[in-house]
Amino acid sequence: MSLPLKKQPVLLTGKKQRSIFEFSQNKIKSLPSEIIEIHSDGNEECETIKDEESSAGESFLGCTTVEDVSCPICQLSISHLTIRDRTDHVDTCLVRVSFVEEPLKPEKSPTIKSETKKRKVIPSQPPDEKSKYINKEIKPVEKSGVEIAIPKAITKSKTKRPIPSLKTMTFPIQESPRLIYQVSVDAFCYEPHETISQYFLSHFHSDHYGGISKKWAYERVFKEDIDFENESKYRKIIYCSVITGKLLTLHFSIDPKFIRPLEIDTRYKIKSYTKEIEDGGYESNSETPGLYVTSITANHCPGSVIFLFESIGLDNKRVRVLHCGDFRVNFEILNHSLLKKFTSDCGEYSLDKVYLDTTYMSPSYNFPKQELVCDTVATMFQDLIREEDEEAKTKASLFSTWFGTGTQSRITDFWKQQTTRKKKKFLILVGTYVIGKEKLAITISKRLNCQIYVSNIGSRNKKLDTLKTYNDTYLNSVLTTNDLGDEDSDKSIIHLVPMNIVSSAQELSNYFNHNKYFDNFERCVGLRPTGWSFNPGQQRGIKETEISRNQVQELEQIMEKPPSFNYLSNILSQVTNTQSKGKPDKALYRIYSLPYSEHSSFRELAYFVIFFNIHQVIPTVNCENERSIKAMNNIIEIWEFVRRIRANSIKSTDDDYAEQELIEKIQKLSLDSF
Ligand SMILES: [Zn+2]
Ligand SMILES: [Zn+2]
């Protein structure tokens, strides 16, 4: 059974604000309500994506006890799952894979069933248990450009749902008579729109591109026409980054003639309100009436961007909208030169609307920065390898404490001693999905100066081509087609493997043994980058719908110091150095889970909203139920309150939740404390 989820209105009214807000003198200029108001349209969410069974469970924001845990993405209760299964569930929800990646095993968890039903499973004879783990040798094929066959005819899609208002960006062209211009963001699974002809895609994840196909573009550009051979009838309608554009062509055979790739940090005029524009737009710094767009890195997955729209009306009225798609706020984004003029410290300009990735919009989602996690893992391997090299194998050394003192060897090694070369220290497996999580592998590779091999098991033939679309000079220089790495080095090597290989020691040892890697590597370490590591000690509920002193204080404390992360207590200690009978050898195989989120933590979101002048924040995730919308709006009000404190517009008051000491602490916060 699948119940359509009703979209709730996202209205940020000031009704619940308490008297303290009247102290604010720094009112940001307000726009006429018909432009900034988001109307409830009652539209249903796209069924092909959000078709999980409706849950009677609480939203994650409404969690009141440790036992009551819901997935922050699909809202289903995951209380009955183990911590690892909860993490797996959330990860699966985060990156919904809509094309065949690997044959599926039956799932244990009933809540993931609805997810797996959607995937296509190739009907085939049961694969040989061993061979499904074995990397095949690949011969590099010289490709000569993309060949995309022109369809003979297209069948109309049956979708009858219109694009919801949350995915429609509306810009005023003039006040009276009222004229507007609209584009859409991440809305591809809806019926063709009457007037929208520019569809923006923030990144290549299926919950955003869902619905896109070769047919999709033909249906919208050619309509009733079938003169597909006529070059002059093609039009650019998909706007995305260069990388996302290449991925659309690689995975879905979307003709580049439909795609308008946008260079990062470049301002384009994509619509003139007075005349036609050729070829989907052009680079421009002009200030004439029209719609301009700049894409800025989203620090999410390769090719992901946030869109800064600037509309200049015929009456010179300016509207600035920032659509964050999915993003992970970092120092680079907070200090971005193109966003600088909107920071609250500059005070010069403000963003009229920000569509915010509210995946982790709760104080309990506070995890270390991605750079810190990647760096810590790299340092860990560096230290482990150095210690062993220096023969510092005393009982107390780092290496012997966590991996044992003896060099691991198999009985057969004795016979091979003469013929085999020296084994490499580590085979490092990094679990990955179709795209994403690459930065972990790159950071380790840079530090250990080692190569990266892309495993091709599990029908992952396109994974290497996918990585090549990134055009990353460093990555291209370390990618190898030899799974053992270069002959003449005793360095380690990194394999990018499907996530299931690093999900259990059994899977890991199958991969290690069936590829006979024991001849070449001393041990195998699997890294599971997880989106969200559940921390039982941190789960707490937000019941308040009004600002309380405690909430402001809690926020200040979270913002003061970033979460720490170190390899002794956060990585190595995950596995104890004990051996149990019948289980894969723990000295040979290790799996570590790493908090590697590609979405902003609560703390990072707070910095973003507080340090930029934003007139209206519009949550784009967890908008399906009223309770979580209320909780999110409450958090946004707290952030706006803190922003006003920082702007000195709220001074000491008698109010019990904003006393002088707290105000001073808040005013001390700066981007340096990020
Ligand atoms: Zn995403
Ligand atoms: Zn997403």
Side-chain angles (χ1 to χ4, degrees), residues 448-467:
L448 301 188
N449 194 15
C450 69
Q451 293 178 300
I452 297 176
Y453 170 78
V454 182
S455 167
N456 53 37
I457 64 168
S459 324
R460 281 196 153 200
N461 302 323
K462 277 183 180 165
K463 179 79 183 171
L464 187 61
D465 289 335
T466 299
L467 289 173

Side-chain angles (χ1 to χ4, degrees), residues 13 16-17 21 547 633-641:
T13 64
K16 296 217 173 71
Q17 293 171 348
F21 292 103
I547 295 180
N633 285 347
N634 171 244
I635 289 168
I636 292 165
E637 283 184 9
I638 296 168
W639 290 344
E640 289 168 345
F641 175 71

Side-chain angles (χ1 to χ4, degrees), residues 94 203 205 207-208 300 326 599:
L94 279 170
H203 65 290
H205 273 163
D207 52 334
H208 297 256
H300 178 62
D326 281 350
H599 295 267

Side-chain angles (χ1 to χ4, degrees), residues 4-10 38-45 161-166:
L5 297 160
K6 276 242 157 175
K7 178 143 306 301
Q8 298 295 335
V10 184
I38 304 292
H39 298 281
S40 162
D41 54 13
N43 287 335
E44 290 158 7
E45 263 295 353
R161 282 179 303 269
I163 301 175
S165 64
L166 193 62

